[in-house]
């Protein structure tokens, strides 16, 4: 069994309390590792270290170019270690090894991209109308950043936050999910090897309500970057408001994937399946509401059912497995509860059934038809392999149903009609819209939610601006300032 320690001020530490949390393999339910159960004391140690690093040499005086070079070195180490990091993530959260290794192999791009951006953030010289003044703006690091991440894509969602924050010169305390912390601690080894000064990147572990809450409330934390569920997001937003902290929230979704009758139905079926059953549905962008035009509704469902009926559910390390387990027992119970809710609400289960294994938190892919907007399974985020298929009449009806949700993270549109593709994309209330595709993401493209799916955007060039504050400097190069109380007559 692996015994992990936290990474604070470039030292490997146990929790001040000495307590630990076991990490379980979701397919075997066996404990494979343990992580420290940090609390307020550990949060304070990490934030103090991050704050000291921000204020002192070498980080406070490092050039932006040197910061970028350090980040690219980190990218090289992550490239070398991608296979290992992917294996650790699959073991911890039970997602398919192939998927986690692909994510790990993509991770270095964040550090190359934002490392390259570090010395391209330029201030301005406003042509101020006041005579005798030279004014300029400086971009200064916003301060200590607390990054809080969920269990489904632990390192990718951490990189979204850490890479632009480092590029801007901030220091960071990362708190990964208590259900999947190992890869963040392995990542910290890469940070250490790359040669970042003590305190620049810290990783603390433990429960959200303990060490996570302590980070959010810590007076020396300036920005909170959170990816997770709505309940925690709301609590964090409230706490951030009390402390006048900046906040980014990447929350959940109930994304509509809309299939028009004129679409390439083969591609649309593949996209619908990837949209909901990838990562066993444990994906914020899951296309969990499939809207299908009336005229092809039955035919399309039958196609999906046929395609999914032979899918292999099982061990995420087996290269033939297509659907892995749910990461936690609590989430497994929640998904099963929602399946019961769907049946009770009158939705028709076209595919699904019981867990085929005695051990492990497996939910077979489930497809409900005859789902309507009032049903809870159409309104609430299930976060599991449960597809709700809804019916629409025409374009107006599709847009109305798609937008009839509190969420607004993503959406898909499948059509061959270019004019309709533009119109629907423009009118969907979602932060990301894919046309004839689903799930494409990039470090270069802004990502975030409308409505209850969050606040702010990650990724893309502008994300670095989240981590700086602008200072305006006025230089008087003309006459000395006159005594304001001497009247000129
Ligand atoms: P969660 O909200 O329970 O936890 C996320 C992180 O926040 C964890 O590290 C947790 O320990 C911490 N946390 C929880 N309560 C906290 C509190 N009061 N104060 C400080 N920290 C706290 O989410 P989860 O169950 O780990 O992940 C599933 C959720 O994440 C889903 O709703 C999913 O849609 C969402 N998600 C969103 C995105 C996105 O980019 N929008 C990506 C992945 C997952």
């Amino acid at each position: 069994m692996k015994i992990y320690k936290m990474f604070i001020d470039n030292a490997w530490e146990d929790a001040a309390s000495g307590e630990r949390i076991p990490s379980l393999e979701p397919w075997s339910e066996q404990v494979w590792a343990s992580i420290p159960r940090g609390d307020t004391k550990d949060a304070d140690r990490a934030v103090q270290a991050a704050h000291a690093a921000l204020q002192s040499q070498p980080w406070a005086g490092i050039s932006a170019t040197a910061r970028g070079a350090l980040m690219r070195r980190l990218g090289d180490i992550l490239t070398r270690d991608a296979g290992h990091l992917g294996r650790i993530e699959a073991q911890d959260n039970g997602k398919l090894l192939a998927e986690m290794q692909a994510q790990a192999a993509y991770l270095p791009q964040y550090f190359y991209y934002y490392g390259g951006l570090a010395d391209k953030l330029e201030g301005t010289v406003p042509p101020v109308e006041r005579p005798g003044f030279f004014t300029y703006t400086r971009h200064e690091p916003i301060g200590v950043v607390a990054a809080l991440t969920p269990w489904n894509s632990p390192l990718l969602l951490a990189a979204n936050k850490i890479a632009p924050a480092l590029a801007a010169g901030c220091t960071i305390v990362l708190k990964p999910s208590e259900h999947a912390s190992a890869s963040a601690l392995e990542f910290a080894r890469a940070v250490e090897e790359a040669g970042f000064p003590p305190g620049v990147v810290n990783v603390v572990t433990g429960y959200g309500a303990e060490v996570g809450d302590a980070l959010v409330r810590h007076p020396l934390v300036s920005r909170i970057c959170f990816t997770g569920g709505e309940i925690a997001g709301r609590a964090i937003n409230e706490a951030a408001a009390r402390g006048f902290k900046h906040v980014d929230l990447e929350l959940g979704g109930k994304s509509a994937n809309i299939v028009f009758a004129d679409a390439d139905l083969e591609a649309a079926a593949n996209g619908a399946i990837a949209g909901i059953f990838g990562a066993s549905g444990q994906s914020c962008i899951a296309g969990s509401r499939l809207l299908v035009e009336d005229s092809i509704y039955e035919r399309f469902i039958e196609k999906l059912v046929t395609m999914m009926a032979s899918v292999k559910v099982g061990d995420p390390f087996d290269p033939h497995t297509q659907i892995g387990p749910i990461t936690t027992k609590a989430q497994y119970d929640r998904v099963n509860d929602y399946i019961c809710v769907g049946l009770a609400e009158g939705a028709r289960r076209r595919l699904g059934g019981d867990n085929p294994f005695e051990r492990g938190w497996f939910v077979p892919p489930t497809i409900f038809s005859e789902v309507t907007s009032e049903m809870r399974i159409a309104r609430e985020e299930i976060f599991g392999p449960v597809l709700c298929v809804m019916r629409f009449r025409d374009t107006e009806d599709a847009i109305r149903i798609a937008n009839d949700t509190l969420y607004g993270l993503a959406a898909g549109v499948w059509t061959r009609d270019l004019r309709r593709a533009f119109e629907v994309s423009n009118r969907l209330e979602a932060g990301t819209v894919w046309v004839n595709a689903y799930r494409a993401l990039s470090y270069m493209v802004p990502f975030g939610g409308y409505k209850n799916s969050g606040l702010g955007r990650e990724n893309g060039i502008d994300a670095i601006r989240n981590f700086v504050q602008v200072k305006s400097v006025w230089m008087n190069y003309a006459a000395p300032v006159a005594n304001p109380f001497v009247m000129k007559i």
Side-chain angles (χ1 to χ4, degrees):
M1 190 173 90
K2 281 209 165 192
I3 307 289
Y4 281 102
K5 293 193 173 192
M6 296 188 284
F7 188 66
I8 300 176
D9 215 11
N10 279 18
W12 294 95
E13 308 269 3
D14 279 315
S17 68
E19 287 192 42
R20 303 205 134 253
I21 301 173
S23 253
L24 276 67
E25 291 173 344
W27 68 97
S28 69
E29 302 182 36
Q30 300 291 313
V31 177
W32 75 277
S34 87
I35 55 163
R37 178 176 173 176
D39 61 19
T40 312
K41 282 196 185 128
D42 305 291
D44 185 54
R45 270 199 297 166
V47 175
Q48 296 288 356
H51 189 250
L54 194 69
Q55 307 255 311
S56 52
Q57 301 305 334
W59 191 250
I62 191 174
S63 73
T65 305
R67 266 199 321 265
L70 261 180
M71 291 178 67
R72 287 192 293 277
R73 195 181 307 157
L74 174 59
D76 290 345
I77 295 167
L78 294 172
T79 302
R80 183 197 69 199
D81 293 350
H84 171 66
L85 291 170
R87 262 192 307 282
I88 292 287
E89 295 216 309
Q91 187 149 23
D92 224 6
N93 72 4
K95 280 170 66 176
L96 300 186
L97 178 64
E99 180 176 350
M100 295 332 281
Q101 287 198 321
Q103 275 193 12
Y106 194 59
L107 203 62
Q109 298 306 325
Y110 286 85
F111 295 92
Y112 296 141
Y113 178 76
Y114 286 105
L117 214 51
D119 57 5
K120 301 185 183 56
L121 196 61
E122 296 176 344
T124 59
V125 181
V128 68
E129 85 289 359
R130 305 278 302 266
F133 278 106
F134 173 78
T135 60
Y136 65 95
T137 60
R138 283 166 53 79
H139 290 101
E140 298 183 350
I142 208 158
V144 176
V145 173
L148 301 149
T149 50
W151 37 261
N152 56 343
S153 295
L155 279 184
L156 201 74
L157 296 170
N160 284 350
K161 301 161 179 54
I162 294 174
L166 284 177
C170 294
T171 57
I172 294 128
V173 181
L174 168 65
K175 207 298 279 176
S177 165
E178 54 273 31
H179 304 297
S181 290
S183 64
L185 296 165
E186 300 274 353
F187 167 83
R189 274 184 220 290
V191 168
E192 190 180 29
E193 186 183 336
F196 281 86
V200 172
V201 178
N202 308 274
V203 182
V204 295
T205 55
Y207 294 113
E210 296 175 2
V211 70
D213 182 65
L215 284 178
V216 167
R217 290 175 197 279
H218 200 293
L220 292 179
V221 167
S222 300
R223 188 169 199 104
I224 300 157
C225 302
F226 170 80
T227 298
E230 208 180 325
I231 295 172
R234 185 167 284 114
I236 287 168
N237 202 19
E238 285 170 4
R242 289 205 154 271
F244 300 108
K245 296 173 199 290
H246 303 266
V247 65
D248 297 295
L249 302 171
E250 299 289 342
L251 308 177
K254 195 74 196 175
S255 300
N257 204 356
I258 309 171
V259 183
F260 287 94
D262 73 333
D264 172 344
L265 295 186
E266 196 62 36
N270 289 331
I273 286 171
I276 183 66
F277 297 120
S280 300
Q282 301 168 104
S283 165
C284 54
I285 52 174
S288 49
R289 289 184 302 146
L290 182 67
L291 277 54
V292 182
E293 193 164 353
D294 231 355
S295 58
I296 55 161
Y297 187 80
E298 262 314 309
R299 188 154 52 98
F300 198 70
I301 291 175
E302 276 161 26
K303 188 173 181 62
L304 295 181
V305 170
T306 311
M307 286 169 78
M308 288 306 297
S310 56
V311 152
K312 184 172 179 329
V313 179
D315 178 349
F317 279 81
D318 179 340
H320 301 294
T321 299
Q322 289 154 305
I323 305 256
I326 300 293
T327 300
T328 70
K329 169 77 165 65
Q331 185 60 21
Y332 170 75
D333 291 341
R334 203 172 117 94
V335 174
N336 282 315
D337 285 350
Y338 271 115
I339 292 172
C340 295
V341 168
L343 292 170
E345 284 178 319
R348 195 171 146 212
R349 182 161 59 178
R350 309 288 285 259
L351 186 74
D354 295 332
N355 183 347
F357 304 106
E358 273 178 18
R359 265 179 185 281
W361 306 311
F362 292 93
V363 178
T366 302
I367 298 179
F368 279 117
S369 68
E370 318 314 320
V371 178
T372 54
S373 275
E374 312 74 57
M375 294 182 182
R376 278 184 61 202
I377 56 166
R379 305 203 76 76
E380 298 173 17
E381 186 185 43
I382 297 175
F383 219 59
V386 182
L387 182 64
C388 297
V389 193
M390 306 165 81
R391 196 188 283 272
F392 68 86
R393 282 188 313 276
D394 52 22
T395 304
E396 279 307 312
D397 202 32
I399 295 171
R400 183 186 59 75
I401 297 170
N403 288 340
D404 184 13
T405 169
L406 292 174
Y407 294 104
L409 194 57
V413 184
W414 300 86
T415 179
R416 287 190 167 101
D417 180 336
L418 195 58
R419 189 180 296 170
R420 176 155 61 197
F422 274 104
E423 189 196 345
V424 178
S425 308
N426 290 345
R427 291 177 59 196
L428 285 173
E429 295 163 359
T432 294
V433 178
W434 295 285
V435 176
N436 296 328
Y438 206 87
R439 262 180 183 280
L441 294 169
S442 164
Y443 52 88
M444 291 187 214
V445 182
F447 178 79
Y450 280 32
K451 305 196 273 190
N452 288 14
S453 288
L455 295 176
R457 294 289 177 273
E458 292 186 327
N459 301 341
I461 288 182
D462 288 342
I464 193 172
R465 294 184 189 278
N466 295 341
F467 298 95
V468 292
Q469 47 195 342
V470 177
K471 177 182 283 175
S472 299
V473 182
W474 293 69
M475 292 269 183
N476 176 9
Y477 62 82
V481 175
N483 183 338
F485 297 111
V486 175
M487 301 292 285
K488 285 183 195 156
I489 304 172

